[in-house]
Amino acid sequence: VARNSSVVFQDSRLLPWSRVLPNVTLGLSGRDAAEAGRTALADVGLAGRERAWPTELSGGEQQRVALARSLVRQPELLLADEPFGALDALTRIRMHGLLRELCSKYRPGVLLVTHDVDEAITLADRVLVLDNGRFVADRSLDSLGPRRSLRDPEFVAHREALLAALGVDVAAH
């Protein structure tokens, strides 16, 4: 495992008694911490919100603060435990695009845990399916390329294979 790693959880886990910038720079010290925090906030579309309280933010904004907190550390590995699970469908789609942009800029390796097959196919280069602690499917998605459409026949084929590995009969639904 990379020595420099960070985690984004399903819940933003922001400290309600701290404003946004101190939440982003939590655990960092030095003169450059605040500037790095401001840069990370700008990268997630929250420039100017440094002094806001977490309760003043929407769920999507709170999750973007959590993402900024993880990325401000310049991780080699980003562990993402269902980071979009608590978001509404439209915000979730926007966050997929944002995560792609941020990964291009910060270049961490990402391990994403999700129960959403479409999300996995949209974001991943490789999908592993676990069942009772064992891998029951391992699919490389490199052939899909960066622009992925739910209507692409190859996307559909991956989706059906992954759902089958999860025990979902696609034909019955």
Side-chain angles (χ1 to χ4, degrees), residues 98-169:
L98 178 62
L99 182 61
R100 281 185 175 282
E101 289 173 27
L102 294 170
C103 285
S104 291
K105 178 178 180 175
Y106 287 86
R107 309 291 300 157
V110 179
L111 177 63
L112 172 71
V113 175
T114 182
H115 289 93
D116 183 331
V117 171
D118 291 342
E119 180 173 80
I121 298 169
T122 298
L123 294 174
D125 297 323
R126 178 181 180 194
V127 175
L128 299 168
V129 176
L130 282 170
D131 185 22
N132 291 319
R134 294 179 328 136
F135 294 119
V136 295
D138 181 353
R139 298 194 60 96
S140 172
L141 305 177
D142 290 335
S143 62
L144 283 173
R147 298 297 243 163
R148 299 181 182 188
S149 168
L150 294 166
R151 289 184 218 98
D152 181 329
E154 193 172 349
F155 188 106
V156 173
H158 282 296
R159 184 177 192 272
E160 289 176 358
L162 291 168
L163 286 170
L166 291 165
V168 176
D169 182 5

Side-chain angles (χ1 to χ4, degrees), residues 66-110:
L67 195 52
R69 180 175 50 205
S70 290
L71 293 172
V72 75
R73 288 154 175 73
Q74 300 284 328
E76 296 170 60
L77 176 63
L78 177 64
L79 302 169
D81 183 12
E82 297 192 77
F84 313 127
L87 302 177
D88 66 82
L90 293 177
T91 302
R92 191 176 187 136
I93 291 168
R94 289 183 189 108
M95 290 296 285
H96 291 167
L98 178 62
L99 182 61
R100 281 185 175 282
E101 289 173 27
L102 294 170
C103 285
S104 291
K105 178 178 180 175
Y106 287 86
R107 309 291 300 157
V110 179

